[in-house]
Amino acid sequence: MKGRKVIIVGAGIGGLAAATALARQGAMVTVLEQAEAITEAGAGIQVSPNGFAVLRALGLAQEACDLSTKASGVCLYDYQRGPVLPLDMAGGQYRLFHRADLIDLLHWAARRAGVRVLLLQKVREVVPGPEPLVRLASGAELCADLVVGADGLHSVLRQALNGDEEPFFTGQVAWRAVIDNPTERRDDVTLHMAPHRHLVTYPLRQGRQLNIVAVQERAAWVGEDWRQQDDPEALRAAFADFAPDVRALLDRIETVHLWGLFRHRIAPVWHREGVALLGDALHPTLPFLAQGANMALEDGWVLAEALGRAEAIEPGLAEYRARREARVARVVRAASGNARKYHLAFPPLRWAARTGLRMAGRVAPGMMLRSFDWLYGVDVTEGSAARSRK
């Protein structure tokens, strides 16, 4: 990729990671971001060992540890009856970030690698071809050897490669909020499971804040934009039968955002004539496995590595798809299935499931976490030169 011109649309987690990885190979990378600043609204994000491996390979391990909290474990709770299954995660790099801190770190890394990040650049159209063309809303036109769409759920580049598509509403909505942490919790994740609902909390910024994500099944259609606000009383009413300690946290919420959860299929066309997709623009995933950011980090690394060892761009993009397709499909399926497990409503089935989890925790305490070795145990950077810099 040395000397190749690359344009990346979107300065999110996947776009900035890909930009840094490509620039370290000698590509001349420009990132186009439509916002006026590289910022993220307040929210938490979990980076599991497979995502942390990419941060480490980019030379960001120490900075990432300084900016995040290492999760000691996850505890599954029944919404009224207390703990069901504790999971010890202290042995791996499970990091809890404020999303804004991770974006700031990746932005800094990209700039350090020589990436140009241009703000207020809204992309109107992308035309694949021998020299793919990017048309901006301002009327400017830019050419490159490669254009990468890291522009999220409503991707202009996805539309250019795959045409118009209609996602479908899953019948679930999610609230998110960040509050000052009133508890002694500093490094653990809790998941409270209830009929048709669940709620996740974990600390951020060395325990000073607490991230709250609550999901409810409902028939009403809610927009997909996660920036829209809702009345905190609506959230409190939806979870009014939860345990007192959970309700006490919800009582502290002053600002909350609500959005509908939609299923988008994995894009049938990943790349064509110098245009490629990654992250949510390519394979949006529901949040029930906490892997959206991790898959974007993996995509960025594999894309750059595949292009770096290919003789031309198109064979490199074909290798990128070959290495990622089965993995992201499995993650999307697993995330979709988790909602059903969390939301069991039929009392005998819910009792049997909770009892089974408790027994498994006593008989084979590490079994459940080992069942995710296929996910957390994969290091997409393994064997690359960057591994020597860990």
Side-chain angles (χ1 to χ4, degrees):
M1 292 299 292
K2 189 172 181 61
R4 298 272 196 178
K5 291 177 61 179
V6 178
I7 293 175
I8 295 179
V9 181
I13 291 169
L16 291 171
T20 302
L22 286 163
R24 282 157 55 106
Q25 293 187 20
M28 298 183 294
V29 183
T30 300
V31 176
L32 304 179
E33 170 56 46
Q34 65 179 347
E36 63 182 13
I38 306 297
T39 60
E40 273 287 349
I45 193 168
Q46 299 177 50
V47 174
S48 50
N50 51 304
F52 190 84
V54 176
L55 297 178
R56 182 179 59 229
L58 292 173
L60 302 175
Q62 187 59 57
E63 293 86 350
C65 289
D66 292 343
L67 288 170
S68 64
T69 297
K70 185 176 182 180
S72 62
V74 176
C75 191
L76 307 183
Y77 284 80
D78 181 85
Y79 72 117
Q80 292 179 330
R81 298 182 180 180
V84 174
L85 178 66
L87 300 174
D88 183 358
M89 301 169 67
Q93 287 288 6
Y94 299 87
R95 312 299 305 195
L96 308 175
F97 281 87
H98 194 290
R99 186 182 292 266
D101 294 339
L102 181 56
I103 289 288
D104 286 347
L105 176 60
L106 291 169
H107 184 208
W108 171 80
R111 297 290 292 267
R112 183 181 64 173
V115 175
R116 289 198 312 157
V117 180
L118 305 181
L119 304 175
L120 295 171
Q121 305 296 311
K122 183 175 178 58
V123 173
R124 180 169 57 84
E125 183 183 12
V126 174
V127 182
E131 286 191 343
L133 178 68
V134 177
R135 293 193 175 105
L136 303 178
S138 65
E141 295 186 348
L142 305 173
C143 290
D145 297 297
L146 172 67
V147 179
V148 178
D151 48 342
L153 283 175
H154 307 291
S155 168
V156 174
L157 279 81
R158 179 182 173 118
Q159 196 277 336
L161 296 183
N162 293 275
D164 294 323
E165 299 174 285
E166 285 295 328
F168 67 87
F169 181 51
T170 63
Q172 299 172 94
V173 299
W175 290 269
R176 65 168 177 83
V178 176
I179 62 172
D180 291 336
N181 186 2
T183 74
E184 296 300 316
R185 294 173 51 200
R186 292 294 179 266
D187 61 0
D188 64 313
V189 180
T190 66
L191 191 158
H192 294 79
M193 302 174 290
H196 309 295
R197 293 157 296 159
H198 76 273
L199 185 143
V200 178
T201 66
Y202 54 87
L204 304 172
R205 291 176 167 167
Q206 291 72 50
R208 297 191 304 274
Q209 296 177 319
L210 204 64
N211 190 67
I212 300 173
V213 178
V215 176
Q216 178 192 40
E217 296 175 9
R218 65 163 64 168
W221 186 282
V222 177
E224 196 173 11
D225 184 358
W226 56 267
R227 293 175 177 83
Q228 60 193 347
Q229 291 195 11
D230 192 33
D231 185 345
E233 287 300 329
L235 170 59
R236 288 189 272 269
F239 291 80
D241 56 344
F242 272 51
D245 59 330
V246 177
R247 297 201 309 271
L249 295 178
L250 299 182
D251 285 343
R252 290 176 170 268
I253 294 176
E254 297 179 359
T255 301
V256 67
H257 293 79
L258 171 70
W259 73 104
L261 300 178
F262 288 72
R263 276 292 295 119
H264 301 249
R265 64 174 180 164
I266 297 173
V269 179
W270 287 47
H271 60 87
R272 177 164 57 88
E273 294 184 285
V275 175
L277 303 172
L278 64 74
D280 281 348
L282 174 60
H283 47 72
T285 179
L286 293 173
F288 306 134
L289 200 57
Q291 283 297 302
N294 294 285
M295 289 299 103
L297 288 168
E298 288 188 9
D299 284 352
W301 180 269
V302 174
L303 175 66
E305 188 174 66
L307 289 166
R309 63 190 190 191
E311 295 182 357
I313 286 177
E314 288 304 318
L317 295 178
E319 180 186 337
Y320 161 63
R321 177 170 186 165
R323 289 176 58 183
R324 298 297 294 153
E325 189 165 20
R327 179 162 172 80
V328 299
R330 186 174 183 182
V331 167
V332 169
R333 288 196 303 270
S336 299
N338 270 357
R340 293 189 295 272
K341 298 174 185 176
Y342 297 159
H343 295 179
L344 293 174
F346 184 51
L349 182 59
R350 189 170 71 250
W351 178 86
R354 305 292 190 262
T355 302
L357 285 173
R358 289 190 181 97
M359 291 181 61
R362 295 190 190 103
V363 175
M367 182 178 65
M368 185 168 178
L369 198 56
R370 287 195 299 272
S371 70
F372 286 95
D373 283 350
W374 66 271
L375 177 58
Y376 303 142
V378 170
D379 180 350
V380 297
T381 76
E382 194 169 15
S384 69
R387 291 285 292 163
S388 65
R389 291 189 288 274
K390 68 178 179 180

